[in-house]
Amino acid sequence: MAVFKRGEVWWYKFYFAGRLIRESSKSSSKTVAKDAEKQRRRELEAGFHNIADVRQQRIRTLEAIIDEYLVGYRLRNRAPRFAKYALGHVSRLLGNKLTVDVDASAVLKYRKIACARARLPNRSMKRSVFC
């Protein structure tokens, strides 16, 4: 952990996972450079240990996630009709739930409601597998 000055700008350097990290703080303040070094080290450690701050992802509703997925799906595929149809059921029955609330019991409840609403013949493969 070291900060040093090159011209008017402070730089920092340190070793991380056997590699030398040398980057500019883009600041003329030594204090800002030290803080930038600490922040960069934290970012590297979080990525190295696969620690991600997913709190914002966990507090989203399932409906918001489905909408975001469908936007990307439309860009990648020509006919998003099936995905919209299939996820429409999920959105209708579970869409108001937060992702942290979707667990095995919520999925089983969804499955029970979906099977009750299904108008499939008794010998249908879909019904026998899903219900």
Side-chain angles (χ1 to χ4, degrees):
M1 290 177 45
V3 292
F4 57 95
K5 199 168 187 180
R6 271 190 174 167
E8 295 297 316
V9 178
W10 285 91
W11 288 62
Y12 55 85
K13 73 174 182 178
F14 57 89
Y15 283 92
F16 181 79
R19 295 182 59 201
L20 176 65
I21 307 296
R22 184 183 301 141
E23 297 176 352
S24 169
S25 69
K26 300 177 181 76
S27 173
S28 59
S29 169
K30 187 174 182 178
T31 307
V32 171
K34 287 181 180 180
D35 291 342
E37 177 189 11
K38 288 178 189 176
Q39 178 65 30
R40 180 66 173 136
R41 183 178 284 273
R42 266 186 251 130
E43 289 172 1
L44 288 171
E45 288 172 353
F48 185 77
H49 296 294
N50 200 15
I51 301 169
D53 188 12
V54 293
R55 285 178 278 187
Q56 292 300 323
Q57 294 293 329
R58 289 180 19 216
I59 59 172
R60 295 172 56 199
T61 63
L62 200 56
E63 188 172 19
I65 293 171
I66 289 170
D67 291 343
E68 182 180 314
Y69 173 78
L70 287 174
V71 168
Y73 190 89
R74 284 187 196 105
L75 295 173
R76 291 186 307 273
N77 299 295
R78 290 174 129 180
R81 183 182 293 173
F82 177 74
K84 189 174 181 181
Y85 166 76
L87 291 173
H89 295 289
V90 176
S91 180
R92 196 167 38 257
L93 297 175
L94 294 175
N96 61 347
K97 287 190 169 285
L98 296 176
T99 54
V100 294
D101 296 334
V102 178
D103 56 1
S105 64
V107 172
L108 290 174
K109 184 178 177 183
Y110 163 76
R111 187 173 159 204
K112 182 179 178 183
I113 293 170
C115 287
R117 290 185 179 181
R119 289 184 165 73
L120 300 171
N122 288 336
R123 289 187 229 149
S124 171
M125 183 59 145
K126 289 181 182 177
R127 186 172 179 93
S128 65
V129 170
F130 185 70
C131 299

